[in-house]
Amino acid sequence: MAHEAERAALSAYLEEKSLKHTKQRDVILDAFLDARGHATSEELYQLVREVNPNIGYTTVYRTMKLLVDAGIAQERHFDDGIARYEIEHQHHDHLVCLKCGKIVEFESPLIEATQEQIAADYKFVLKRHRHELYGYCSHCVES
Amino acid sequence: MAHEAERAALSAYLEEKSLKHTKQRDVILDAFLDARGHATSEELYQLVREVNPNIGYTTVYRTMKLLVDAGIAQERHFDDGIARYEIEHQHHDHLVCLKCGKIVEFESPLIEATQEQIAADYKFVLKRHRHELYGYCSHCVES
DNA sequence: TTCGGTGCAAAAGATTTGCATATGT
DNA sequence: ACATATGCAAATCTTTTGCACCGAA
């Protein structure tokens, strides 16, 4: 069975908070991890229903919120205003294709450093950031 | 009367598209320009009603969409998911205070250049970007 | 047995749309 | 006159909440 690290993280969080370990939470965690990031609530709901059609929308929302609190998932809003979830990991930003919707992650230490400098200039204590580049991917530019 | 440039731009756009020049559109344009950016639809609606209480929510939304199409306004979504409008201008990004909501604009040619480089690396043709730094402003850090 | 969890339906908040009426051109 | 604009109310869309019932510990 895959996803051991995240399963363990979830179990630890549930135990710490005296919350319960349910099969719905397992199914949703699996769906989220299988989706490999950037899945919307709707997409997760569909994936989850393939495994267990009795799980409701509400539970998907509530569980994703739980995973965010547990530090396993991160919620993001791109320009369409719909929430997407990705596996929590630091220091990366996104390129989004305006035509096909493809999302590519990138990292730039230079940009990271510059952000810190800018925050310092304005006397802000930085907590997080959002950096998205929108354009057309090589495939969509040609067509 | 202020806002000549934007008024002219709106008139030109209306004429070009055979749309009509109404007093509602004037009032909303004024409210938007007076707000100096980052106003929500709700805030614009309130401002507009001070001038003319008969103007409806719908017209504010429709007119802001029109201003966006005309290239006068730009719609942005920060992390709260509510649309905010700012006067169209290039090359700037935002620092947002997580406590008091203060929004500061900044520019960084270095970051701009790096973005172009990254897009090129991934063979993306860049159209626009969003770059927001979230943290605590100097005032809120102290309290 | 006891809380927390689930699922449904209903509520909520932001934005959009249908439609009859009003108004620029 | 005619086409577009407006304002209201109702509809949408995404997400949240209330509540009775279910199930993990």
Side-chain angles (χ1 to χ4, degrees):
Chain A
M1 198 186 310
H3 314 322
E4 291 86 358
E6 290 83 2
R7 279 172 179 271
L10 176 58
S11 292
Y13 183 80
L14 294 175
E15 187 152 349
E16 177 198 335
K17 300 277 181 180
S18 303
L19 301 175
K20 290 168 182 172
H21 192 175
T22 65
K23 50 179 155 310
Q24 287 91 332
R25 287 175 175 171
D26 273 346
V27 171
I28 294 168
L29 175 61
D30 272 345
F32 164 62
L33 294 172
D34 286 343
R36 296 288 178 96
H38 312 124
T40 63
S41 304
E42 174 66 29
E43 286 162 357
L44 293 176
Y45 177 65
Q46 295 305 334
L47 286 171
V48 159
R49 287 186 83 85
E50 286 174 20
V51 177
N52 181 343
N54 296 318
I55 295 178
Y57 231 126
T58 313
T59 303
V60 173
Y61 274 106
R62 282 194 282 227
T63 301
M64 289 317 297
K65 200 161 290 255
L66 177 76
L67 295 184
V68 169
D69 290 343
I72 296 168
Q74 209 174 324
E75 188 176 332
R76 294 195 172 261
H77 293 259
F78 294 102
D79 262 1
D80 58 10
I82 302 169
R84 283 162 203 276
Y85 297 93
E86 64 181 28
I87 299 172
E88 169 79 43
H89 61 302
Q90 297 287 312
H91 298 303
H92 72 280
D93 299 300
H94 299 87
L95 269 160
V96 182
C97 178
L98 292 166
K99 188 163 178 195
C100 70
K102 180 163 112 179
I103 298 174
V104 177
E105 298 187 352
F106 69 89
E107 289 181 43
S108 170
L110 176 57
I111 287 179
E112 295 282 326
T114 310
Q115 286 172 346
E116 291 295 342
Q117 182 58 56
I118 288 164
D121 290 347
Y122 288 96
K123 302 201 186 336
F124 264 64
V125 176
L126 219 57
K127 301 306 285 184
R128 56 194 168 80
H129 71 267
R130 174 155 75 169
H131 192 185
E132 293 144 23
L133 307 183
Y134 294 89
Y136 296 99
C137 73
S138 55
H139 185 261
C140 291
V141 154
E142 286 158 15
S143 54
Chain B
M1 199 185 312
H3 314 322
E4 290 86 359
E6 289 84 2
R7 280 171 179 271
L10 176 58
S11 293
Y13 183 79
L14 294 175
E15 186 153 349
E16 177 198 334
K17 299 277 181 178
S18 303
L19 303 176
K20 289 169 184 173
H21 192 175
T22 65
K23 50 181 156 309
Q24 287 90 332
R25 288 175 174 171
D26 273 347
V27 171
I28 296 168
L29 175 62
D30 272 345
F32 164 62
L33 294 171
D34 286 343
R36 295 289 179 99
H38 311 126
T40 63
S41 305
E42 174 66 30
E43 286 162 356
L44 292 175
Y45 176 65
Q46 296 304 334
L47 286 171
V48 159
R49 287 184 84 85
E50 285 174 20
V51 177
N52 181 343
N54 297 318
I55 296 178
Y57 231 124
T58 313
T59 304
V60 173
Y61 274 106
R62 282 193 282 227
T63 301
M64 289 316 297
K65 200 162 288 254
L66 176 77
L67 295 184
V68 169
D69 290 343
I72 296 167
Q74 209 173 323
E75 187 176 334
R76 295 196 172 260
H77 293 259
F78 294 102
D79 264 1
D80 58 9
I82 301 169
R84 286 163 202 275
Y85 297 93
E86 63 181 30
I87 298 172
E88 168 79 42
H89 61 303
Q90 297 288 311
H91 299 302
H92 73 281
D93 299 300
H94 299 87
L95 269 160
V96 181
C97 179
L98 291 166
K99 188 162 177 196
C100 71
K102 182 163 110 177
I103 299 174
V104 177
E105 298 187 352
F106 69 87
E107 289 182 43
S108 170
L110 177 56
I111 287 179
E112 295 281 328
T114 311
Q115 287 172 343
E116 290 294 344
Q117 182 58 54
I118 289 164
D121 290 348
Y122 288 95
K123 301 200 185 342
F124 264 65
V125 176
L126 218 55
K127 301 306 286 186
R128 57 194 166 80
H129 70 267
R130 174 156 76 169
H131 192 185
E132 293 146 22
L133 308 183
Y134 294 89
Y136 296 100
C137 73
S138 55
H139 184 260
C140 291
V141 155
E142 287 157 17
S143 53

